[in-house]
Amino acid sequence: MDLIKEVLDEVVDQYRANNHIIFSSDSERASLHFGDVAKRLKAWKKGRECIVPKCSQTAIKQSHTVPRGMSLSSISEAEHLLTPEFDHRRGELVLQRVGQNKASTFPGFCSEHEALFHEFETSGKIDQSQHIYLQTYRAACREWFRTSFILEQHDRTMAAYDSLRDERLAALVERRLRERGFGDEFKMGKLELKNDTLKNQWSDELEAIREYDIWLKTTLLPAFEKAIFQGDTSNVYTYAISIDVQIPVALSGGGAFHARDTKAERRVDMIIGVMPSDGNTLLTFGGHASDEDFINAYVTTWMNNALGMLSMVESWMVNGSDQWYLKPSVWNALPEGRRSAILSAIHACEQNIGQEFELSIFDGLRNNFLVDLAAQEEKKDEKYSEFVDKQRRKMI
């Protein structure tokens, strides 16, 4: 028994140091990983029930989160846009071409509930408070679909990993014991590894997503469903700003920042949107009514001038949602080094949307805004010079 314990401890220690020992080769490990990726992609597109409560109708496979006619088509080139996507084979984040008809889609609503958005989808204008509620609601639905999907797929993957790990570790213990004199008839039996620190680390990394998923499911979505289906808007808050310049990115998703209430600093979640059209961009902010003061303070902080607004949108793209679609020529005009740095920052995810990103994505707009700012007759003091220098450094 002492030898069995010795070999078992030895194998478990080796596994904790490098979990690759449970795979017969790197190609088997890669095959397992990429096969799982393929299954997840297929599952994402799979039809399911409508996301609206108490609706049992089948969802259409491509509900748009960003208005296609109003926004996606207005900034696409050759009917395509660029969106961030992780390339699992290269092991890095890239911007992937996507057709405007498929951009921002998910299997969310049945045909009946998809018609909720028909009015502003066909008119190309979001110009009523009800439109803002509806647009924020479908963005929040997509966010909950995304978080639920991530957690569901993680749980399935971990269950499959547990089974493979325990089977392979048991086989490894058997082989080591036979090498040390045990007979070929020895069978290890079922091995179940408890407190897998590698798995615990992966689960810890998902904790923020679990908390966000619960908030969406139990707090935000019920509030917006009351607003839309019952006319009770007391538990929701939305804010929208239309600016007379087109920002060549369409974005619809979630973002978080930190704010201090009467007791301590806490996380504030928002549903954010950038919806460009010809010569115009609509910026939307949505959340629970209890966060109204925090959202208003956030808007005031960023929207005091055009460059602050542009920096906010760039922070949303890097530190907030990856659900955005960029005009390809904007990205292609950036230096290669800056593009790599932007993608690395998105992947690292070390900031939140309350923090300014240090690099420029929209050089053309930033230069135009700097020219406009210089032409203003306001006093140019030291604070102004520092602000301008900071904006210019973003483009170096």
Side-chain angles (χ1 to χ4, degrees), residues 314-328:
E314 289 168 335
S315 180
W316 286 3
M317 295 170 67
V318 175
N319 304 322
S321 175
D322 62 357
Q323 171 83 348
W324 51 260
Y325 303 89
L326 181 67
K327 189 174 186 175

Side-chain angles (χ1 to χ4, degrees), residues 197-391:
T197 54
L198 288 171
K199 264 190 60 183
N200 293 344
Q201 178 183 344
W202 299 332
S203 296
D204 290 345
E205 291 172 355
L206 284 178
E207 189 56 36
I209 294 179
R210 291 189 188 278
E211 292 177 2
Y212 182 45
D213 179 80
I214 292 171
W215 178 77
L216 288 167
K217 179 181 179 180
T218 63
T219 302
L220 191 67
L221 285 175
F224 271 93
E225 283 153 4
K226 277 189 176 182
I228 291 166
F229 301 113
Q230 300 175 28
D232 179 1
T233 62
S234 61
N235 292 316
V236 301
Y237 181 68
T238 59
Y239 192 101
I241 303 172
S242 180
I243 58 174
D244 58 356
V245 64
Q246 185 190 72
I247 303 176
V249 68
L251 180 150
S252 179
F257 61 95
H258 291 95
R260 180 167 291 277
D261 61 17
T262 55
K263 296 181 179 180
E265 187 175 85
R266 72 175 182 86
R267 169 178 168 139
V268 179
D269 285 291
M270 276 197 309
I271 300 299
I272 50 181
V274 181
M275 282 154 283
S277 56
D278 293 335
N280 185 274
T281 303
L282 181 69
L283 303 173
T284 62
F285 312 74
H288 194 267
S290 60
D291 291 327
E292 177 178 348
D293 291 343
F294 296 126
I295 294 174
N296 285 337
Y298 179 90
V299 172
T300 300
T301 298
W302 287 97
M303 297 295 294
N304 54 0
N305 60 58
L307 287 162
M309 175 274 298
L310 191 64
S311 296
M312 178 189 72
V313 171
E314 289 168 335
S315 180
W316 286 3
M317 295 170 67
V318 175
N319 304 322
S321 175
D322 62 357
Q323 171 83 348
W324 51 260
Y325 303 89
L326 181 67
K327 189 174 186 175
S329 58
V330 172
W331 183 253
N332 295 334
L334 298 179
E336 177 61 34
R338 200 185 324 158
R339 284 187 287 180
S340 296
I342 291 168
L343 291 172
S344 294
I346 295 171
H347 190 211
C349 197
E350 294 176 342
Q351 293 184 310
N352 61 67
I353 63 170
Q355 297 170 281
E356 187 170 356
F357 184 54
E358 63 183 7
L359 299 176
S360 172
I361 297 174
F362 301 106
D363 284 9
L365 284 177
R366 179 163 271 102
N367 278 317
N368 291 341
F369 291 158
L370 283 168
V371 170
D372 292 343
L373 187 63
Q376 295 177 9
E377 295 182 357
E378 296 179 5
K379 183 179 179 181
K380 311 291 194 297
D381 56 13
E382 183 178 348
K383 187 176 181 181
Y384 164 85
S385 298
E386 290 175 354
F387 175 77
V388 170
D389 287 345
K390 182 179 181 180
Q391 293 298 319

Side-chain angles (χ1 to χ4, degrees), residues 91-158:
E92 61 185 13
L93 194 71
V94 299
L95 283 197
Q96 184 69 40
R97 288 181 84 241
V98 61
Q100 66 183 33
N101 291 334
K102 292 185 178 180
S104 84
T105 59
F106 76 111
F109 301 96
C110 66
S111 298
E112 177 184 349
H113 288 113
E114 180 71 12
L116 287 167
F117 319 107
H118 179 75
E119 182 177 337
F120 62 81
E121 280 280 4
T122 53
S123 70
K125 294 180 180 179
I126 297 179
D127 55 8
Q128 300 175 25
S129 58
Q130 183 69 3
H131 293 169
I132 302 297
Y133 291 144
L134 285 165
Q135 176 57 32
T136 304
Y137 174 60
R138 71 171 172 178
C141 284
R142 196 270 180 187
E143 280 292 279
W144 183 48
F145 182 91
R146 178 184 67 87
T147 57
S148 299
F149 181 83
I150 290 172
L151 295 173
E152 176 186 308
Q153 295 301 313
H154 171 266
D155 291 344
R156 289 183 179 180
T157 300
M158 288 300 97

